[in-house]
Amino acid sequence: QSALTQPASVSGSPGQSITISCTGTRSDVGGYNYVSWYQQYPGKAPKFMIFDVNKRPSGVSNRFSGSKSGNTASLTISGLQAEDEADYYCSSYTTSNTWVFGGGTKLTVL
Amino acid sequence: QVQLVQSGAEVHKPGASVKVSCKASGYTFTTYALHWVRQAPGQRPEWMGWIYGGNGNTEYSQYLQGRVTFTRDTSTSTVYMELSSLTSQDTAVYYCGRGLGYYGFDYWGQGTLVTVS
């Protein structure tokens, strides 16, 4: 299964906004709204941050938002905080009845 | 609260098999699927498949077909992942995650490191 494409790293200063892209194909990101995003700290399990492209699970800060256009989904984090520094992964359901993840983006808060 | 608690780290030699458990609590076990996702060191997560808590139906990723088996025990709300014919490529942290329909995985276990060496 081909991975979704994410930038390897992004960075921003506290208070700024950043956006992480996640590019797939019509067989995954472009074919469904079943895109989710996960935050992962080193040595920890992923945390569910966004689902259904732009919905937040209970307890996730409204500084996190999602969107999608065509085959590319995006995660935006506004009002960056030091605690946001982590790896972020996108994921999508696919036409093969499987799930695929992105390569991950390391967010650095300067 | 929903919790998924996995068994501890394992070390195995190439060619051996490993069985990892994931005990669920805090929700009705039979109404959700549990997925298995593995993550090799420094790599992206890789979806392995799922098992439905209700009827035990399974779906496996094609690249693992024939080597992986998921089972469940409804009396203890536990699912098991067994992987055979291990190679060094199978060295990874293995996670179970509760499936939220097609939307993704809303709760995760703490992960189980499997080392093949």
Side-chain angles (χ1 to χ4, degrees), chain A residues 1-6 21-35 53 68-74 90-102:
Chain A
Q1 56 199 38
S2 300
L4 306 177
T5 301
Q6 298 181 231
S21 62
C22 169
T23 301
T25 67
R26 287 180 297 177
S27 296
D28 38 65
V29 174
Y32 304 100
N33 282 338
Y34 300 136
V35 175
V53 174
K68 191 186 88 166
S69 177
N71 296 336
T72 299
S74 298
C90 61
S91 179
S92 175
Y93 179 70
T94 82
T95 54
S96 299
N97 194 29
T98 63
W99 279 260
V100 63
F101 286 86

PDB file of all heavy atoms in Angstrom, chain A residues 1-6 21-35 53 68-74 90-102:
ATOM      1  N   GLN A   1       0.847  -1.194   0.000  1.00  0.00           N
ATOM      2  CA  GLN A   1       0.000   0.000   0.000  1.00  0.00           C
ATOM      3  C   GLN A   1       0.879   1.239   0.000  1.00  0.00           C
ATOM      4  O   GLN A   1       1.847   1.330   0.733  1.00  0.00           O
ATOM      5  CB  GLN A   1      -0.899  -0.008   1.228  1.00  0.00           C
ATOM      6  CG  GLN A   1      -0.170  -0.103   2.551  1.00  0.00           C
ATOM      7  CD  GLN A   1      -1.078  -0.576   3.686  1.00  0.00           C
ATOM      8  OE1 GLN A   1      -1.910  -1.422   3.476  1.00  0.00           O
ATOM      9  NE2 GLN A   1      -0.863  -0.076   4.873  1.00  0.00           N
ATOM     10  N   SER A   2       0.561   2.225  -0.847  1.00  0.00           N
ATOM     11  CA  SER A   2       1.347   3.441  -0.915  1.00  0.00           C
ATOM     12  C   SER A   2       0.990   4.354   0.240  1.00  0.00           C
ATOM     13  O   SER A   2      -0.172   4.500   0.594  1.00  0.00           O
ATOM     14  CB  SER A   2       1.071   4.152  -2.236  1.00  0.00           C
ATOM     15  OG  SER A   2       1.422   3.336  -3.327  1.00  0.00           O
ATOM     16  N   ALA A   3       2.027   4.970   0.814  1.00  0.00           N
ATOM     17  CA  ALA A   3       1.798   5.882   1.921  1.00  0.00           C
ATOM     18  C   ALA A   3       1.268   7.198   1.406  1.00  0.00           C
ATOM     19  O   ALA A   3       1.486   7.568   0.250  1.00  0.00           O
ATOM     20  CB  ALA A   3       3.106   6.098   2.680  1.00  0.00           C
ATOM     21  N   LEU A   4       0.576   7.906   2.258  1.00  0.00           N
ATOM     22  CA  LEU A   4       0.175   9.271   1.963  1.00  0.00           C
ATOM     23  C   LEU A   4       1.404  10.154   2.136  1.00  0.00           C
ATOM     24  O   LEU A   4       2.290   9.866   2.939  1.00  0.00           O
ATOM     25  CB  LEU A   4      -0.947   9.698   2.900  1.00  0.00           C
ATOM     26  CG  LEU A   4      -2.162   8.773   2.922  1.00  0.00           C
ATOM     27  CD1 LEU A   4      -3.183   9.260   3.952  1.00  0.00           C
ATOM     28  CD2 LEU A   4      -2.795   8.667   1.541  1.00  0.00           C
ATOM     29  N   THR A   5       1.460  11.261   1.371  1.00  0.00           N
ATOM     30  CA  THR A   5       2.643  12.118   1.378  1.00  0.00           C
ATOM     31  C   THR A   5       2.467  13.323   2.282  1.00  0.00           C
ATOM     32  O   THR A   5       1.523  14.108   2.096  1.00  0.00           O
ATOM     33  CB  THR A   5       2.970  12.586  -0.047  1.00  0.00           C
ATOM     34  OG1 THR A   5       3.198  11.433  -0.881  1.00  0.00           O
ATOM     35  CG2 THR A   5       4.224  13.458  -0.059  1.00  0.00           C
ATOM     36  N   GLN A   6       3.362  13.441   3.244  1.00  0.00           N
ATOM     37  CA  GLN A   6       3.384  14.591   4.152  1.00  0.00           C
ATOM     38  C   GLN A   6       4.770  15.226   4.107  1.00  0.00           C
ATOM     39  O   GLN A   6       5.761  14.542   3.844  1.00  0.00           O
ATOM     40  CB  GLN A   6       3.114  14.144   5.600  1.00  0.00           C
ATOM     41  CG  GLN A   6       1.795  13.507   5.871  1.00  0.00           C
ATOM     42  CD  GLN A   6       1.661  13.127   7.347  1.00  0.00           C
ATOM     43  OE1 GLN A   6       1.329  12.007   7.691  1.00  0.00           O
ATOM     44  NE2 GLN A   6       1.933  14.080   8.237  1.00  0.00           N
ATOM     45  N   SER A  21       0.216  19.343   5.243  1.00  0.00           N
ATOM     46  CA  SER A  21      -0.549  18.754   4.149  1.00  0.00           C
ATOM     47  C   SER A  21      -0.386  17.236   4.123  1.00  0.00           C
ATOM     48  O   SER A  21       0.580  16.687   4.667  1.00  0.00           O
ATOM     49  CB  SER A  21      -0.096  19.341   2.813  1.00  0.00           C
ATOM     50  OG  SER A  21       1.272  19.037   2.580  1.00  0.00           O
ATOM     51  N   CYS A  22      -1.333  16.584   3.475  1.00  0.00           N
ATOM     52  CA  CYS A  22      -1.371  15.126   3.384  1.00  0.00           C
ATOM     53  C   CYS A  22      -1.967  14.786   2.022  1.00  0.00           C
ATOM     54  O   CYS A  22      -3.175  14.953   1.819  1.00  0.00           O
ATOM     55  CB  CYS A  22      -2.220  14.578   4.523  1.00  0.00           C
ATOM     56  SG  CYS A  22      -2.634  12.824   4.406  1.00  0.00           S
ATOM     57  N   THR A  23      -1.129  14.346   1.104  1.00  0.00           N
ATOM     58  CA  THR A  23      -1.577  14.133  -0.264  1.00  0.00           C
ATOM     59  C   THR A  23      -1.686  12.648  -0.575  1.00  0.00           C
ATOM     60  O   THR A  23      -0.745  11.880  -0.343  1.00  0.00           O
ATOM     61  CB  THR A  23      -0.620  14.798  -1.261  1.00  0.00           C
ATOM     62  OG1 THR A  23      -0.561  16.202  -0.984  1.00  0.00           O
ATOM     63  CG2 THR A  23      -1.089  14.598  -2.695  1.00  0.00           C
ATOM     64  N   GLY A  24      -2.847  12.278  -1.103  1.00  0.00           N
ATOM     65  CA  GLY A  24      -3.075  10.902  -1.491  1.00  0.00           C
ATOM     66  C   GLY A  24      -3.564  10.820  -2.914  1.00  0.00           C
ATOM     67  O   GLY A  24      -3.099  11.566  -3.786  1.00  0.00           O
ATOM     68  N   THR A  25      -4.512   9.933  -3.142  1.00  0.00           N
ATOM     69  CA  THR A  25      -5.056   9.727  -4.481  1.00  0.00           C
ATOM     70  C   THR A  25      -6.577   9.639  -4.409  1.00  0.00           C
ATOM     71  O   THR A  25      -7.172   9.732  -3.323  1.00  0.00           O
ATOM     72  CB  THR A  25      -4.532   8.414  -5.093  1.00  0.00           C
ATOM     73  OG1 THR A  25      -5.079   7.314  -4.332  1.00  0.00           O
ATOM     74  CG2 THR A  25      -3.014   8.340  -5.042  1.00  0.00           C
ATOM     75  N   ARG A  26      -7.183   9.419  -5.553  1.00  0.00           N
ATOM     76  CA  ARG A  26      -8.642   9.249  -5.572  1.00  0.00           C
ATOM     77  C   ARG A  26      -9.069   7.968  -4.874  1.00  0.00           C
ATOM     78  O   ARG A  26     -10.250   7.808  -4.549  1.00  0.00           O
ATOM     79  CB  ARG A  26      -9.142   9.226  -7.024  1.00  0.00           C
ATOM     80  CG  ARG A  26      -9.121  10.566  -7.710  1.00  0.00           C
ATOM     81  CD  ARG A  26      -9.640  10.435  -9.118  1.00  0.00           C
ATOM     82  NE  ARG A  26      -8.797   9.559  -9.929  1.00  0.00           N
ATOM     83  CZ  ARG A  26      -9.059   9.236 -11.180  1.00  0.00           C
ATOM     84  NH1 ARG A  26     -10.161   9.676 -11.761  1.00  0.00           N
ATOM     85  NH2 ARG A  26      -8.250   8.458 -11.859  1.00  0.00           N
ATOM     86  N   SER A  27      -8.111   7.072  -4.657  1.00  0.00           N
ATOM     87  CA  SER A  27      -8.424   5.802  -4.006  1.00  0.00           C
ATOM     88  C   SER A  27      -8.430   5.906  -2.483  1.00  0.00           C
ATOM     89  O   SER A  27      -8.808   4.957  -1.798  1.00  0.00           O
ATOM     90  CB  SER A  27      -7.409   4.726  -4.418  1.00  0.00           C
ATOM     91  OG  SER A  27      -7.498   4.469  -5.805  1.00  0.00           O
ATOM     92  N   ASP A  28      -8.003   7.034  -1.956  1.00  0.00           N
ATOM     93  CA  ASP A  28      -8.003   7.193  -0.506  1.00  0.00           C
ATOM     94  C   ASP A  28      -8.504   8.588  -0.123  1.00  0.00           C
ATOM     95  O   ASP A  28      -9.702   8.788  -0.034  1.00  0.00           O
ATOM     96  CB  ASP A  28      -6.628   6.874   0.102  1.00  0.00           C
ATOM     97  CG  ASP A  28      -5.454   7.347  -0.766  1.00  0.00           C
ATOM     98  OD1 ASP A  28      -5.332   8.576  -0.933  1.00  0.00           O
ATOM     99  OD2 ASP A  28      -4.692   6.512  -1.256  1.00  0.00           O
ATOM    100  N   VAL A  29      -7.606   9.528   0.056  1.00  0.00           N
ATOM    101  CA  VAL A  29      -8.011  10.869   0.517  1.00  0.00           C
ATOM    102  C   VAL A  29      -9.076  11.484  -0.381  1.00  0.00           C
ATOM    103  O   VAL A  29     -10.072  12.039   0.099  1.00  0.00           O
ATOM    104  CB  VAL A  29      -6.786  11.800   0.603  1.00  0.00           C
ATOM    105  CG1 VAL A  29      -7.212  13.230   0.946  1.00  0.00           C
ATOM    106  CG2 VAL A  29      -5.793  11.288   1.644  1.00  0.00           C
ATOM    107  N   GLY A  30      -8.888  11.390  -1.688  1.00  0.00           N
ATOM    108  CA  GLY A  30      -9.803  12.013  -2.620  1.00  0.00           C
ATOM    109  C   GLY A  30     -11.130  11.284  -2.768  1.00  0.00           C
ATOM    110  O   GLY A  30     -12.104  11.875  -3.235  1.00  0.00           O
ATOM    111  N   GLY A  31     -11.167  10.026  -2.344  1.00  0.00           N
ATOM    112  CA  GLY A  31     -12.367   9.234  -2.558  1.00  0.00           C
ATOM    113  C   GLY A  31     -13.348   9.225  -1.409  1.00  0.00           C
ATOM    114  O   GLY A  31     -14.516   8.875  -1.574  1.00  0.00           O
ATOM    115  N   TYR A  32     -12.886   9.604  -0.239  1.00  0.00           N
ATOM    116  CA  TYR A  32     -13.716   9.552   0.961  1.00  0.00           C
ATOM    117  C   TYR A  32     -13.418  10.746   1.865  1.00  0.00           C
ATOM    118  O   TYR A  32     -12.362  11.367   1.752  1.00  0.00           O
ATOM    119  CB  TYR A  32     -13.411   8.298   1.787  1.00  0.00           C
ATOM    120  CG  TYR A  32     -13.557   6.980   1.067  1.00  0.00           C
ATOM    121  CD1 TYR A  32     -12.436   6.316   0.564  1.00  0.00           C
ATOM    122  CD2 TYR A  32     -14.797   6.378   0.927  1.00  0.00           C
ATOM    123  CE1 TYR A  32     -12.558   5.104  -0.086  1.00  0.00           C
ATOM    124  CE2 TYR A  32     -14.925   5.152   0.286  1.00  0.00           C
ATOM    125  CZ  TYR A  32     -13.801   4.517  -0.211  1.00  0.00           C
ATOM    126  OH  TYR A  32     -13.927   3.308  -0.838  1.00  0.00           O
ATOM    127  N   ASN A  33     -14.309  10.997   2.796  1.00  0.00           N
ATOM    128  CA  ASN A  33     -14.030  11.974   3.853  1.00  0.00           C
ATOM    129  C   ASN A  33     -13.513  11.285   5.109  1.00  0.00           C
ATOM    130  O   ASN A  33     -13.544  11.854   6.195  1.00  0.00           O
ATOM    131  CB  ASN A  33     -15.281  12.785   4.190  1.00  0.00           C
ATOM    132  CG  ASN A  33     -15.532  13.863   3.153  1.00  0.00           C
ATOM    133  OD1 ASN A  33     -14.630  14.270   2.439  1.00  0.00           O
ATOM    134  ND2 ASN A  33     -16.774  14.305   3.056  1.00  0.00           N
ATOM    135  N   TYR A  34     -13.001  10.072   4.950  1.00  0.00           N
ATOM    136  CA  TYR A  34     -12.538   9.303   6.112  1.00  0.00           C
ATOM    137  C   TYR A  34     -11.061   9.563   6.384  1.00  0.00           C
ATOM    138  O   TYR A  34     -10.257   8.628   6.457  1.00  0.00           O
ATOM    139  CB  TYR A  34     -12.790   7.819   5.897  1.00  0.00           C
ATOM    140  CG  TYR A  34     -14.243   7.470   5.689  1.00  0.00           C
ATOM    141  CD1 TYR A  34     -14.630   6.574   4.697  1.00  0.00           C
ATOM    142  CD2 TYR A  34     -15.233   8.040   6.482  1.00  0.00           C
ATOM    143  CE1 TYR A  34     -15.960   6.240   4.505  1.00  0.00           C
ATOM    144  CE2 TYR A  34     -16.563   7.721   6.294  1.00  0.00           C
ATOM    145  CZ  TYR A  34     -16.933   6.818   5.307  1.00  0.00           C
ATOM    146  OH  TYR A  34     -18.248   6.503   5.119  1.00  0.00           O
ATOM    147  N   VAL A  35     -10.732  10.850   6.524  1.00  0.00           N
ATOM    148  CA  VAL A  35      -9.362  11.259   6.831  1.00  0.00           C
ATOM    149  C   VAL A  35      -9.275  11.565   8.317  1.00  0.00           C
ATOM    150  O   VAL A  35     -10.127  12.259   8.879  1.00  0.00           O
ATOM    151  CB  VAL A  35      -8.953  12.498   6.017  1.00  0.00           C
ATOM    152  CG1 VAL A  35      -7.558  12.975   6.434  1.00  0.00           C
ATOM    153  CG2 VAL A  35      -8.984  12.195   4.520  1.00  0.00           C
ATOM    154  N   VAL A  53     -12.369  14.288   8.284  1.00  0.00           N
ATOM    155  CA  VAL A  53     -11.694  15.460   7.704  1.00  0.00           C
ATOM    156  C   VAL A  53     -11.564  16.617   8.684  1.00  0.00           C
ATOM    157  O   VAL A  53     -10.481  17.196   8.815  1.00  0.00           O
ATOM    158  CB  VAL A  53     -12.395  15.956   6.411  1.00  0.00           C
ATOM    159  CG1 VAL A  53     -11.754  17.255   5.922  1.00  0.00           C
ATOM    160  CG2 VAL A  53     -12.340  14.894   5.325  1.00  0.00           C
ATOM    161  N   LYS A  68     -10.011  19.594   3.566  1.00  0.00           N
ATOM    162  CA  LYS A  68      -9.628  18.741   2.448  1.00  0.00           C
ATOM    163  C   LYS A  68     -10.014  19.416   1.146  1.00  0.00           C
ATOM    164  O   LYS A  68     -11.069  20.052   1.044  1.00  0.00           O
ATOM    165  CB  LYS A  68     -10.323  17.380   2.539  1.00  0.00           C
ATOM    166  CG  LYS A  68      -9.774  16.335   1.569  1.00  0.00           C
ATOM    167  CD  LYS A  68     -10.591  15.052   1.596  1.00  0.00           C
ATOM    168  CE  LYS A  68     -11.731  15.116   0.619  1.00  0.00           C
ATOM    169  NZ  LYS A  68     -12.345  13.783   0.370  1.00  0.00           N
ATOM    170  N   SER A  69      -9.156  19.273   0.143  1.00  0.00           N
ATOM    171  CA  SER A  69      -9.453  19.731  -1.205  1.00  0.00           C
ATOM    172  C   SER A  69      -8.893  18.704  -2.173  1.00  0.00           C
ATOM    173  O   SER A  69      -7.675  18.474  -2.209  1.00  0.00           O
ATOM    174  CB  SER A  69      -8.827  21.105  -1.456  1.00  0.00           C
ATOM    175  OG  SER A  69      -9.069  21.514  -2.785  1.00  0.00           O
ATOM    176  N   GLY A  70      -9.791  18.068  -2.913  1.00  0.00           N
ATOM    177  CA  GLY A  70      -9.350  17.035  -3.847  1.00  0.00           C
ATOM    178  C   GLY A  70      -8.648  15.895  -3.133  1.00  0.00           C
ATOM    179  O   GLY A  70      -9.189  15.303  -2.200  1.00  0.00           O
ATOM    180  N   ASN A  71      -7.434  15.606  -3.570  1.00  0.00           N
ATOM    181  CA  ASN A  71      -6.674  14.501  -2.999  1.00  0.00           C
ATOM    182  C   ASN A  71      -5.777  14.910  -1.835  1.00  0.00           C
ATOM    183  O   ASN A  71      -4.953  14.105  -1.376  1.00  0.00           O
ATOM    184  CB  ASN A  71      -5.802  13.850  -4.080  1.00  0.00           C
ATOM    185  CG  ASN A  71      -6.610  13.220  -5.195  1.00  0.00           C
ATOM    186  OD1 ASN A  71      -7.771  12.868  -5.000  1.00  0.00           O
ATOM    187  ND2 ASN A  71      -6.008  13.096  -6.358  1.00  0.00           N
ATOM    188  N   THR A  72      -5.900  16.163  -1.382  1.00  0.00           N
ATOM    189  CA  THR A  72      -5.034  16.658  -0.309  1.00  0.00           C
ATOM    190  C   THR A  72      -5.843  17.116   0.894  1.00  0.00           C
ATOM    191  O   THR A  72      -6.746  17.938   0.779  1.00  0.00           O
ATOM    192  CB  THR A  72      -4.156  17.814  -0.811  1.00  0.00           C
ATOM    193  OG1 THR A  72      -3.312  17.360  -1.866  1.00  0.00           O
ATOM    194  CG2 THR A  72      -3.279  18.355   0.320  1.00  0.00           C
ATOM    195  N   ALA A  73      -5.491  16.530   2.050  1.00  0.00           N
ATOM    196  CA  ALA A  73      -6.067  16.959   3.316  1.00  0.00           C
ATOM    197  C   ALA A  73      -5.040  17.809   4.051  1.00  0.00           C
ATOM    198  O   ALA A  73      -3.833  17.725   3.779  1.00  0.00           O
ATOM    199  CB  ALA A  73      -6.443  15.745   4.163  1.00  0.00           C
ATOM    200  N   SER A  74      -5.522  18.627   4.967  1.00  0.00           N
ATOM    201  CA  SER A  74      -4.617  19.504   5.715  1.00  0.00           C
ATOM    202  C   SER A  74      -5.022  19.565   7.180  1.00  0.00           C
ATOM    203  O   SER A  74      -6.212  19.519   7.512  1.00  0.00           O
ATOM    204  CB  SER A  74      -4.632  20.922   5.133  1.00  0.00           C
ATOM    205  OG  SER A  74      -4.190  20.930   3.796  1.00  0.00           O
ATOM    206  N   CYS A  90      -1.276  11.661   9.178  1.00  0.00           N
ATOM    207  CA  CYS A  90      -2.618  11.577   8.626  1.00  0.00           C
ATOM    208  C   CYS A  90      -2.896  10.117   8.275  1.00  0.00           C
ATOM    209  O   CYS A  90      -1.973   9.301   8.153  1.00  0.00           O
ATOM    210  CB  CYS A  90      -2.770  12.462   7.393  1.00  0.00           C
ATOM    211  SG  CYS A  90      -1.677  12.046   6.006  1.00  0.00           S
ATOM    212  N   SER A  91      -4.158   9.805   8.124  1.00  0.00           N
ATOM    213  CA  SER A  91      -4.566   8.457   7.752  1.00  0.00           C
ATOM    214  C   SER A  91      -5.856   8.551   6.955  1.00  0.00           C
ATOM    215  O   SER A  91      -6.650   9.494   7.138  1.00  0.00           O
ATOM    216  CB  SER A  91      -4.787   7.592   9.001  1.00  0.00           C
ATOM    217  OG  SER A  91      -5.213   6.291   8.647  1.00  0.00           O
ATOM    218  N   SER A  92      -6.088   7.577   6.084  1.00  0.00           N
ATOM    219  CA  SER A  92      -7.304   7.557   5.290  1.00  0.00           C
ATOM    220  C   SER A  92      -7.757   6.126   5.046  1.00  0.00           C
ATOM    221  O   SER A  92      -6.933   5.208   4.906  1.00  0.00           O
ATOM    222  CB  SER A  92      -7.076   8.253   3.944  1.00  0.00           C
ATOM    223  OG  SER A  92      -8.218   8.149   3.106  1.00  0.00           O
ATOM    224  N   TYR A  93      -9.044   5.955   5.013  1.00  0.00           N
ATOM    225  CA  TYR A  93      -9.633   4.701   4.540  1.00  0.00           C
ATOM    226  C   TYR A  93      -9.436   4.653   3.030  1.00  0.00           C
ATOM    227  O   TYR A  93      -9.355   5.700   2.374  1.00  0.00           O
ATOM    228  CB  TYR A  93     -11.112   4.666   4.903  1.00  0.00           C
ATOM    229  CG  TYR A  93     -11.844   3.424   4.439  1.00  0.00           C
ATOM    230  CD1 TYR A  93     -11.589   2.193   5.019  1.00  0.00           C
ATOM    231  CD2 TYR A  93     -12.805   3.499   3.431  1.00  0.00           C
ATOM    232  CE1 TYR A  93     -12.262   1.052   4.605  1.00  0.00           C
ATOM    233  CE2 TYR A  93     -13.487   2.373   3.019  1.00  0.00           C
ATOM    234  CZ  TYR A  93     -13.212   1.147   3.597  1.00  0.00           C
ATOM    235  OH  TYR A  93     -13.881   0.022   3.184  1.00  0.00           O
ATOM    236  N   THR A  94      -9.325   3.450   2.467  1.00  0.00           N
ATOM    237  CA  THR A  94      -9.066   3.335   1.035  1.00  0.00           C
ATOM    238  C   THR A  94     -10.108   2.452   0.329  1.00  0.00           C
ATOM    239  O   THR A  94     -10.848   1.700   0.970  1.00  0.00           O
ATOM    240  CB  THR A  94      -7.672   2.730   0.759  1.00  0.00           C
ATOM    241  OG1 THR A  94      -7.738   1.302   0.865  1.00  0.00           O
ATOM    242  CG2 THR A  94      -6.613   3.246   1.729  1.00  0.00           C
ATOM    243  N   THR A  95     -10.097   2.532  -0.970  1.00  0.00           N
ATOM    244  CA  THR A  95     -11.026   1.723  -1.768  1.00  0.00           C
ATOM    245  C   THR A  95     -10.708   0.237  -1.679  1.00  0.00           C
ATOM    246  O   THR A  95     -11.498  -0.600  -2.116  1.00  0.00           O
ATOM    247  CB  THR A  95     -10.994   2.158  -3.239  1.00  0.00           C
ATOM    248  OG1 THR A  95      -9.647   2.116  -3.705  1.00  0.00           O
ATOM    249  CG2 THR A  95     -11.563   3.550  -3.423  1.00  0.00           C
ATOM    250  N   SER A  96      -9.566  -0.120  -1.148  1.00  0.00           N
ATOM    251  CA  SER A  96      -9.203  -1.531  -0.965  1.00  0.00           C
ATOM    252  C   SER A  96      -9.680  -2.058   0.389  1.00  0.00           C
ATOM    253  O   SER A  96      -9.290  -3.162   0.797  1.00  0.00           O
ATOM    254  CB  SER A  96      -7.681  -1.685  -1.043  1.00  0.00           C
ATOM    255  OG  SER A  96      -7.202  -1.262  -2.301  1.00  0.00           O
ATOM    256  N   ASN A  97     -10.513  -1.255   1.082  1.00  0.00           N
ATOM    257  CA  ASN A  97     -11.012  -1.649   2.413  1.00  0.00           C
ATOM    258  C   ASN A  97      -9.857  -1.789   3.400  1.00  0.00           C
ATOM    259  O   ASN A  97      -9.836  -2.708   4.232  1.00  0.00           O
ATOM    260  CB  ASN A  97     -11.826  -2.938   2.326  1.00  0.00           C
ATOM    261  CG  ASN A  97     -12.641  -3.197   3.582  1.00  0.00           C
ATOM    262  OD1 ASN A  97     -13.043  -2.258   4.272  1.00  0.00           O
ATOM    263  ND2 ASN A  97     -12.867  -4.471   3.891  1.00  0.00           N
ATOM    264  N   THR A  98      -8.881  -0.917   3.265  1.00  0.00           N
ATOM    265  CA  THR A  98      -7.747  -0.876   4.179  1.00  0.00           C
ATOM    266  C   THR A  98      -7.583   0.571   4.659  1.00  0.00           C
ATOM    267  O   THR A  98      -8.308   1.460   4.222  1.00  0.00           O
ATOM    268  CB  THR A  98      -6.442  -1.315   3.479  1.00  0.00           C
ATOM    269  OG1 THR A  98      -6.147  -0.386   2.419  1.00  0.00           O
ATOM    270  CG2 THR A  98      -6.557  -2.718   2.892  1.00  0.00           C
ATOM    271  N   TRP A  99      -6.654   0.766   5.579  1.00  0.00           N
ATOM    272  CA  TRP A  99      -6.308   2.115   6.017  1.00  0.00           C
ATOM    273  C   TRP A  99      -4.826   2.342   5.705  1.00  0.00           C
ATOM    274  O   TRP A  99      -4.001   1.428   5.819  1.00  0.00           O
ATOM    275  CB  TRP A  99      -6.546   2.278   7.519  1.00  0.00           C
ATOM    276  CG  TRP A  99      -7.973   2.548   7.867  1.00  0.00           C
ATOM    277  CD1 TRP A  99      -8.546   3.765   8.150  1.00  0.00           C
ATOM    278  CD2 TRP A  99      -9.029   1.571   7.965  1.00  0.00           C
ATOM    279  NE1 TRP A  99      -9.890   3.596   8.412  1.00  0.00           N
ATOM    280  CE2 TRP A  99     -10.217   2.265   8.311  1.00  0.00           C
ATOM    281  CE3 TRP A  99      -9.085   0.195   7.793  1.00  0.00           C
ATOM    282  CZ2 TRP A  99     -11.447   1.630   8.484  1.00  0.00           C
ATOM    283  CZ3 TRP A  99     -10.298  -0.443   7.963  1.00  0.00           C
ATOM    284  CH2 TRP A  99     -11.453   0.265   8.300  1.00  0.00           C
ATOM    285  N   VAL A 100      -4.515   3.586   5.335  1.00  0.00           N
ATOM    286  CA  VAL A 100      -3.142   3.929   5.006  1.00  0.00           C
ATOM    287  C   VAL A 100      -2.758   5.180   5.795  1.00  0.00           C
ATOM    288  O   VAL A 100      -3.610   6.039   6.068  1.00  0.00           O
ATOM    289  CB  VAL A 100      -2.964   4.150   3.491  1.00  0.00           C
ATOM    290  CG1 VAL A 100      -3.789   5.329   2.993  1.00  0.00           C
ATOM    291  CG2 VAL A 100      -1.511   4.282   3.104  1.00  0.00           C
ATOM    292  N   PHE A 101      -1.486   5.248   6.178  1.00  0.00           N
ATOM    293  CA  PHE A 101      -0.990   6.387   6.942  1.00  0.00           C
ATOM    294  C   PHE A 101      -0.014   7.207   6.106  1.00  0.00           C
ATOM    295  O   PHE A 101       0.604   6.700   5.151  1.00  0.00           O
ATOM    296  CB  PHE A 101      -0.251   5.910   8.198  1.00  0.00           C
ATOM    297  CG  PHE A 101      -1.153   5.391   9.282  1.00  0.00           C
ATOM    298  CD1 PHE A 101      -1.566   4.068   9.289  1.00  0.00           C
ATOM    299  CD2 PHE A 101      -1.586   6.224  10.300  1.00  0.00           C
ATOM    300  CE1 PHE A 101      -2.402   3.578  10.291  1.00  0.00           C
ATOM    301  CE2 PHE A 101      -2.410   5.753  11.309  1.00  0.00           C
ATOM    302  CZ  PHE A 101      -2.824   4.427  11.295  1.00  0.00           C
ATOM    303  N   GLY A 102       0.146   8.451   6.507  1.00  0.00           N
ATOM    304  CA  GLY A 102       1.162   9.296   5.910  1.00  0.00           C
ATOM    305  C   GLY A 102       2.522   9.011   6.512  1.00  0.00           C
ATOM    306  O   GLY A 102       2.638   8.303   7.517  1.00  0.00           O
TER     307      GLY A 102
END
